[in-house]
Amino acid sequence: MVILYEIIKMLTFPGALLKGFLEHLFCRLWKVPVEYSDYMQRNELCGHVEHLLAPHKGSFAICFGPHLIMLLLGSVIAFPGAMNLFYIGTFNWLSVILFYVGVSFLANAFPLVEDALNMWSELFSAESKGASKVLLAIPAAIMYVGAYLERYCVSLLTSLAFAYALPWLVALIIG
């Protein structure tokens, strides 16, 4: 499983590099010490930075901030490529590159399992307030499940399916 994880991270290197940079940036913003900042490693930290576990508020921000940026960028970049390739039927290399980069951003959007577990335990600790538990429970659950999907190499498949269905979803929302 580790070899498949490394292969997927190397295939989606644009997303892995950006995810590592965003994690590093959010660790700096929340003053969480970064121990090792090599973004492309040959282990489970590929596309992530090794940092100390974040305190209460920083744990959610370090997980959700990079995820939100990666999700938005991946969706915006993959949308025109998926629209041209799958719905309009126009094949050109720009559409293929946009679809690839968008899927690579989407496939690397989730945090490490350790960060997700820390976020979950900090969110539902005795020190956290009831309002934050209610408001952040669904995003925290998404981060938690997504971290395990990424660990077991399913995030690439879900990202491909999401990018393929994205124009259809936008058409449903717009009308």
Side-chain angles (χ1 to χ4, degrees):
M1 191 60 73
V2 174
I3 295 172
L4 184 59
Y5 180 81
E6 289 176 17
I7 290 171
I8 288 174
K9 289 294 185 174
M10 294 300 165
L11 285 175
T12 61
F13 72 92
L17 288 172
L18 183 62
K19 174 66 175 184
F21 172 74
L22 289 174
E23 272 189 12
H24 198 158
L25 179 68
F26 274 80
C27 284
R28 295 292 175 135
L29 287 174
W30 289 95
K31 295 178 178 47
V32 174
V34 174
E35 294 176 350
Y36 190 66
S37 64
D38 189 12
Y39 302 151
M40 297 299 287
Q41 304 176 39
R42 292 189 52 106
N43 56 20
E44 71 173 3
L45 290 173
C46 187
H48 301 280
V49 292
E50 187 174 354
H51 57 86
L52 298 179
L53 291 178
H56 181 66
K57 292 179 182 177
S59 65
F60 186 79
I62 289 173
C63 289
F64 191 70
H67 171 75
L68 185 64
I69 293 171
M70 295 291 286
L71 181 68
L72 291 174
L73 280 175
S75 299
V76 167
I77 292 172
F79 178 76
M83 189 70 150
N84 281 340
L85 292 173
F86 303 116
Y87 294 96
I88 296 175
T90 307
F91 177 83
N92 56 19
W93 287 106
L94 180 61
S95 297
V96 172
I97 291 170
L98 287 173
F99 186 74
Y100 164 72
V101 171
V103 166
S104 73
F105 287 176
L106 292 170
N108 291 290
F110 292 107
L112 281 173
V113 173
E114 291 79 15
D115 290 338
L117 289 173
N118 179 47
M119 174 197 59
W120 192 262
S121 66
E122 290 288 334
L123 180 63
F124 292 107
S125 68
E127 300 163 356
S128 65
K129 306 224 183 315
S132 66
K133 290 179 184 179
V134 171
L135 292 174
L136 302 178
I138 292 175
I142 291 169
M143 296 293 105
Y144 188 78
V145 170
Y148 277 103
L149 289 176
E150 185 174 326
R151 173 181 268 182
Y152 296 114
C153 305
V154 182
S155 64
L156 180 62
L157 298 175
T158 58
S159 299
L160 284 168
F162 178 74
Y164 174 77
L166 186 62
W168 181 74
L169 293 171
V170 169
L172 278 178
I173 293 170
I174 291 176

